[in-house]
């Protein structure tokens, strides 16, 4: 184990998989950077968050492909290459840009295997940075997992720590289905223990981060560390809870959630996305449908409001569910106010 | 095209306003007080101003992530823009938009845009309004060289040609698209490619206000004669990084220094109007100091501006209702 940032862990996974399998290729805007620039450097960016840094030096421009600003064609490039034997890792710099590439993702990529009678496979990984936290405004801050998890055929994962970042990216690359791989941009510098050497973490399955007695708190992404902060506050009041990191929003690990709920009887879901048709709603529905007899009170959803992500610091802070709001919701669930 | 003394002074003032606005933001950014991504337009002033000096509030523009220059040139209030960039409740967009989303519909400014290639299709729609009104108004989209590769831009160009709309596509070639050279990603000649869509292309020197102004006059003549859309292509540079904080590893160390010395739209303008005539340097100096003081004051008031509260966050998602807190 070595302590590394999420950024470095992701980078390590890409090196690991590209060394292992020559069919793994990387494509996107500025994934290396510098082409046509005056400095002569061909590793001038390595992705705007530095995740693909150094790849071009080892693997060259045939496997590390800088593209024009053409998101639809970037995903198309990955799709066609995948159908014909490659394992592309396409980067959409910001998850919000998915709009430009949506047809290639949800009408094409997601449906190949099914529509083509099970004969086709499209092992594409679409990496994107997501989430608020940088005051990047309404078109650079969204969490789009709810929307994409609604599409049959896509697997959607949201690692919350460096070990999962490395292990899940490697697993996503080896997976034979399309995987939407969402990296929270506020977590890139978060550090943690990462297994050395070849490391694979399962794509499916939630993770019980900590156990407690009073409630089940289901969350993901940046809301995991925020919920841990809430836990520290609540511990002083004698409230403890099971904290479940979803890791994957498609599929959802129902078993772990329901098992925990059967022990605690109370459910709080913390989700950075907008509330309508969200993962938070989905989990509430699972609880209502399959865990009803365990519930000792209403399910509480802690989400962003039904608004675009606002720009100003004060507004973004209000928008994102923070540790205080999370703690208040858990307190309410446990004490009924 | 002949321009009056007043026209020339106003154009210079607009260019200076943009330069000062951006240079000041560059300095202020280091304090960490400005949130989010800020993309500066310094180096490209002659393009925004050379084009927008022809336009009125009835004409429309769509802009980009690098929008401050277009906004100022199109008549947005720089003070309210500054407040917006500082995320103030009294900013042009109430602090909800920020640098990348400044807009002022009353001024015909249809928004900076966080999505590369997001603007041109919208501007095509505005051109439809112009055509319907039949008042000679036009719609202009600004876009960088990088943006010219977006499918949305290709679709917008073809749509405008098919519908014969009063629409001008402006492509500002500043050499880079984020960390990659524009020449790398435009696989062919951008002028020929644009012509291939059926758009006549008017070319200008993007460092030279008079060159851009003339090209825009020609473009307008074409469009207003009912001949359908056209394009304007101009080369310039950006003096700063892609965004504030960009280490610019893709750029040779002295590239900007050299360009600032030899290719500066403001210096060029000054030389041209003072050497050949109508103005003397003192008049321009006076504008420089007036604008500098004004921008200084905009920053001071922006820093002291009111911060937005929850009511600002929840309002305006819809016209007729809003979520409860
Ligand atoms: C759809 C989309 N893709 C990518 C980006 C990220 N991005 C922002 S600006 C930019 C480069 C734009 O280059 P160009 O059009 O030449 O404009 P310039 O920045 O040079 O003014 C990129 C890739 C984006 N904002 N939107
Ligand atoms: Mg450019």
């Amino acid at each position: 184990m070595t302590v590394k940032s999420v950024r470095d862990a992701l980078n390590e996974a890409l090196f690991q998989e590209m060394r292992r399998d020559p069919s793994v290729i990387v494509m996107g805007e500025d994934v290396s950077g510098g082409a046509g620039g005056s400095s002569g450097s061909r590793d001038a960016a390595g992705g705007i968050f530095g995740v693909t840094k150094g790849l071009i030096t080892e693997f060259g421009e045939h496997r590390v492909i800088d593209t024009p600003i053409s998101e639809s064609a970037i995903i198309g490039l990955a799709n066609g290459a995948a159908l014909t034997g490659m394992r592309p890792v396409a980067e959409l710099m910001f998850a919000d840009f998915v709009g430009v590439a949506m047809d290639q993702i949800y009408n094409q990529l997601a449906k190949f295997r099914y529509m083509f009678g099970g004969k086709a496979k499209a092992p594409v990984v679409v990496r994107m940075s997501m989430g608020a936290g940088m005051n990047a405004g309404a078109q650079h801050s969204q969490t789009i997992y709810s929307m994409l998890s609604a599409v049959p055929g896509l697997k959607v994962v949201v690692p919350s720590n460096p070990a999962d970042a490395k292990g899940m990216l490697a697993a996503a690359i080896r997976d034979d289905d399309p995987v939407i791989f969402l990296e929270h941009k506020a977590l890139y510098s978060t550090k943690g223990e990462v297994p050395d050497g070849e490391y694979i973490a399962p794509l499916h399955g939630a993770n019980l981060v900590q156990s407690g007695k009073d409630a089940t708190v289901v969350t993901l992404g940046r809301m995991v560390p925020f919920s841990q902060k809430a836990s520290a506050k609540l511990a002083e009041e004698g409230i403890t809870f099971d904290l479940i990191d979803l890791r994957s929003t498609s599929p959802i690990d129902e078993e772990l959630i329901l098992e925990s709920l059967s022990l605690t009887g109370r459910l709080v879901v913390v989700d950075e996305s907008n509330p309508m048709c969200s993962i938070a709603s989905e989990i509430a529905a699972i609880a209502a449908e399959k865990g009803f007899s365990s519930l000792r009170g209403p399910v509480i959803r802690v989400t962003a409001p039904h608004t675009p992500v606002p720009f100003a610091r004060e507004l973004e802070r209000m928008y994102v569910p923070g540790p205080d709001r999370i703690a208040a919701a858990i307190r309410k669930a446990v004490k009924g106010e | 095209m002949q321009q009056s003394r007043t026209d020339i002074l106003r154009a210079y003032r607009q260019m200076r306003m943009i330069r000062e606005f951006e240079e000041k933001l560059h300095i202020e950014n280091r304090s960490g007080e400005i949130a989010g991504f800020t993309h500066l337009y310094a180096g490209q002033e002659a393009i925004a101003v050379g084009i927008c000096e022809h336009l009125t509030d009835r004409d429309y523009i769509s802009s980009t992530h690098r929008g401050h220059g277009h906004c100022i040139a199109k008549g947005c209030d720089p003070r309210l823009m500054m407040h917006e960039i500082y995320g103030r409740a009294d900013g042009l967009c109430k602090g909800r938009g920020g640098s990348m989303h400044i807009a002022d519909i009353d001024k015909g400014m249809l928004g900076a845009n966080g999505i590369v290639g997001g603007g041109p299709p919208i501007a095509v729609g505005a051109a439809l309004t112009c055509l319907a009104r039949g008042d000679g108004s036009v719609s202009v989209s600004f876009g960088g060289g990088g943006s010219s590769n977006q499918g949305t831009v290709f679709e917008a160009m073809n749509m405008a040609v098919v519908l014969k709309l009063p629409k001008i596509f402006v492509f500002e070639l500043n050499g880079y698209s984020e960390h990659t050279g524009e020449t790398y990603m435009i696989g062919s000649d951008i002028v020929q490619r644009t012509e291939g869509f059926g758009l006549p292309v008017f070319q200008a020197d993007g460092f030279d206000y008079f060159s851009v102004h003339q090209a825009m006059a020609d473009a307008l003549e074409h469009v207003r004669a009912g001949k359908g859309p056209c394009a304007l292509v101009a080369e310039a540079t950006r003096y700063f990084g892609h965004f504030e904080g960009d280490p610019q590893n893709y750029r040779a160390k002295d590239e900007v220094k050299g360009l600032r010395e030899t290719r500066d739209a403001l210096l060029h303008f000054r030389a041209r109007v003072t050497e050949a005539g109508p103005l003397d340097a003192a008049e321009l100096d006076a504008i420089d100091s007036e604008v500098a003081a004004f921008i200084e004051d905009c920053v001071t008031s922006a820093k002291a501006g009111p911060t937005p509260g929850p009511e600002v966050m929840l309002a305006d998602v819809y016209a007729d209702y809003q979520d409860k807190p």
Side-chain angles (χ1 to χ4, degrees):
Chain A
M1 294 273 198
T2 309
V3 173
K4 289 198 177 78
S5 65
V6 166
R7 171 186 295 104
D8 291 346
L10 292 167
N11 184 255
E12 202 168 281
L14 289 169
F15 270 102
Q16 171 186 304
E17 294 307 302
M18 291 185 79
R19 280 176 188 152
R20 180 179 169 270
D21 179 354
S23 72
V24 178
I25 53 175
V26 164
M27 56 199 46
E29 294 156 20
D30 292 315
V31 290
S32 71
S38 54
S39 74
S41 164
R42 275 302 268 114
D43 193 21
I48 60 152
F49 293 105
V51 173
T52 48
K53 192 88 190 151
L55 294 178
I56 191 147
T57 315
E58 180 164 337
F59 303 106
E61 53 189 271
H62 296 297
R63 292 183 66 195
V64 181
I65 302 162
D66 266 319
T67 67
I69 310 179
S70 308
E71 281 79 8
S72 179
I74 292 170
I75 304 301
L77 197 67
N79 288 353
L83 278 177
T84 51
M86 308 292 272
R87 287 193 177 269
V89 181
E91 172 174 319
L92 294 185
M93 210 177 263
F94 288 84
D96 316 67
F97 306 165
V98 80
V100 185
M102 202 59 170
D103 178 67
Q104 286 295 327
I105 293 175
Y106 99 117
N107 268 324
Q108 313 298 336
L109 177 60
K111 298 181 169 64
F112 290 140
R113 179 185 293 279
Y114 186 80
M115 287 191 308
F116 298 168
K119 292 187 297 269
K121 68 171 182 182
V124 173
V125 179
V126 186
R127 292 184 40 244
M128 330 184 199
S129 74
M130 67 150 197
M134 289 180 77
N135 307 105
Q139 295 174 343
H140 283 73
S141 306
Q142 299 167 87
T143 46
I144 56 155
Y145 44 76
S146 302
M147 203 164 76
L148 293 177
S149 298
V151 181
L154 300 178
K155 292 175 179 169
V156 182
V157 300
V158 184
S160 72
N161 59 69
D164 267 351
K166 176 175 173 181
M168 291 174 82
L169 182 52
I173 293 170
R174 294 187 196 185
D175 199 275
D176 278 346
D177 285 320
V179 179
I180 306 294
F181 195 91
L182 292 161
E183 302 161 10
H184 201 297
K185 61 176 86 71
L187 295 181
Y188 277 123
S189 299
T190 296
K191 293 200 168 153
E193 298 270 355
V194 178
D196 299 317
E198 187 169 304
Y199 177 60
I200 300 279
L203 278 186
H204 306 318
N207 178 29
L208 184 63
V209 179
Q210 60 181 55
S211 326
K213 56 183 190 338
D214 302 310
T216 297
V217 176
V218 179
T219 186
L220 74 168
R222 190 190 188 199
M223 298 297 107
V224 174
F226 278 11
S227 299
Q228 285 172 307
K229 280 191 187 158
S231 152
K233 283 178 212 281
L234 291 172
E236 294 165 15
E237 303 167 27
I239 297 174
T240 64
F241 54 83
D242 273 1
L243 177 58
I244 295 177
D245 176 359
L246 270 180
R247 298 175 73 252
S248 159
T249 60
S250 180
I252 289 177
D253 184 352
E254 295 187 2
E255 269 168 43
L256 184 64
I257 297 169
L258 292 170
E259 189 189 306
S260 166
L261 183 59
S262 72
L263 299 174
T264 65
R266 296 188 172 89
L267 179 62
V268 176
V269 193
V270 186
D271 177 356
E272 185 183 326
S273 75
N274 304 115
M276 295 260 283
C277 308
S278 61
I279 290 301
S281 309
E282 185 64 28
I283 287 164
I286 291 168
E289 208 170 63
K290 300 176 186 168
F292 189 70
S293 57
S294 306
L295 282 170
R296 288 157 62 194
V299 176
I300 297 183
R301 291 183 297 158
V302 188
T303 68
H306 185 61
T307 73
V309 188
F311 162 72
R313 279 204 177 91
E314 296 77 11
L315 295 180
E316 198 196 68
R317 222 174 280 135
M318 275 177 242
Y319 175 94
V320 175
D324 289 338
R325 253 175 76 196
I326 298 170
I330 298 170
R331 197 178 291 121
K332 188 174 167 193
V334 174
K335 301 208 164 152
E337 203 60 46
Chain B
M1 198 185 149
Q2 205 53 41
Q3 293 181 72
S4 73
R5 222 184 124 74
T6 327
D7 290 342
I8 291 173
L9 279 171
R10 194 187 51 230
Y12 181 78
R13 188 171 186 281
Q14 288 288 67
M15 283 170 56
R16 176 55 67 192
M17 187 71 79
I18 297 171
R19 175 67 58 85
E20 196 65 33
F21 194 93
E22 301 295 62
E23 298 269 12
K24 186 73 182 165
L25 273 179
H26 178 66
I27 293 166
E28 292 296 323
N29 240 294
R30 287 185 213 149
S31 72
E33 224 179 305
I34 298 169
F37 290 110
T38 316
H39 306 83
L40 301 181
Y41 190 72
Q44 303 176 219
E45 296 88 348
I47 304 176
V49 178
I51 286 164
C52 291
E53 279 298 288
H54 285 282
L55 306 178
T56 73
D57 291 354
R58 303 277 292 164
D59 301 305
Y60 298 105
I61 68 164
S62 69
S63 171
T64 69
H65 56 287
R66 200 174 303 291
H68 304 166
H70 308 136
C71 292
I72 292 176
K74 192 65 175 61
C76 295
D77 183 334
R79 184 183 298 277
L80 299 181
M81 286 173 58
M82 194 63 89
H83 281 235
E84 184 61 29
I85 292 164
Y86 274 84
R88 299 309 180 202
D90 57 358
L92 200 45
C93 304
K94 301 184 185 164
R96 287 197 295 247
S99 164
M100 251 192 300
H101 303 292
I102 295 178
D104 192 347
I105 305 296
D106 295 340
K107 298 283 179 192
M109 202 289 158
L110 304 179
N113 210 308
I115 301 299
V116 170
I122 299 169
V124 169
L128 196 62
T129 301
C130 297
L131 187 69
R133 278 199 314 235
D135 59 358
S137 58
V138 301
S139 176
V140 179
S141 58
F142 286 94
S147 82
S148 75
N149 305 305
Q150 192 67 284
T152 54
V153 177
F154 296 156
E155 292 179 22
M157 290 197 290
N158 186 54
M159 183 78 84
V161 170
V162 169
L163 303 181
K164 263 194 152 190
L165 296 175
K167 167 74 183 63
I168 299 168
F169 292 84
V170 177
F171 294 115
E172 299 183 63
L173 308 181
N174 63 4
Y176 293 99
S177 172
E178 286 206 344
H179 311 272
T180 299
E182 287 174 342
T183 49
Y184 167 82
M185 68 172 67
I186 302 173
S188 59
D189 181 83
I190 188 170
V191 172
Q192 285 173 12
R193 187 174 72 183
T194 307
E195 285 169 349
F197 275 91
L199 297 154
V201 177
F202 299 92
Q203 289 181 259
D205 174 355
F207 291 103
D208 178 355
Y209 166 80
F210 295 97
S211 165
V212 177
H213 193 265
Q214 182 59 53
M216 183 62 178
D218 297 340
L220 280 170
E221 194 181 305
H222 173 90
V223 165
R224 289 197 172 128
K227 294 181 189 163
C230 64
L232 193 160
V233 173
E235 277 182 42
T237 194
R238 55 170 158 78
Y239 286 162
F240 296 110
H242 172 64
F243 58 92
E244 284 306 275
D246 172 8
Q248 304 191 67
N249 296 330
Y250 47 87
R251 231 172 180 180
K253 286 276 164 285
D254 47 359
E255 182 180 280
V256 173
K257 186 168 175 285
L259 286 164
R260 274 194 186 257
E261 281 160 11
T262 57
R263 309 252 49 198
D264 179 326
L266 281 124
L267 293 179
H268 184 277
F269 189 106
R270 179 179 274 265
R272 162 107 180 231
V273 298
T274 52
E275 276 159 27
L279 304 181
D280 60 52
E283 287 177 281
L284 301 180
D285 292 344
I287 289 177
D288 290 354
S289 27
E290 178 239 323
V291 168
F294 172 72
I295 294 292
E296 185 71 48
D297 193 55
C298 290
V299 170
T300 309
S301 74
K303 283 181 177 172
T307 54
E311 67 293 348
V312 175
M313 177 169 73
L314 295 173
D316 297 326
V317 181
Y318 303 103
D320 59 351
Y321 76 95
Q322 73 181 52
D323 257 13
K324 289 172 199 68

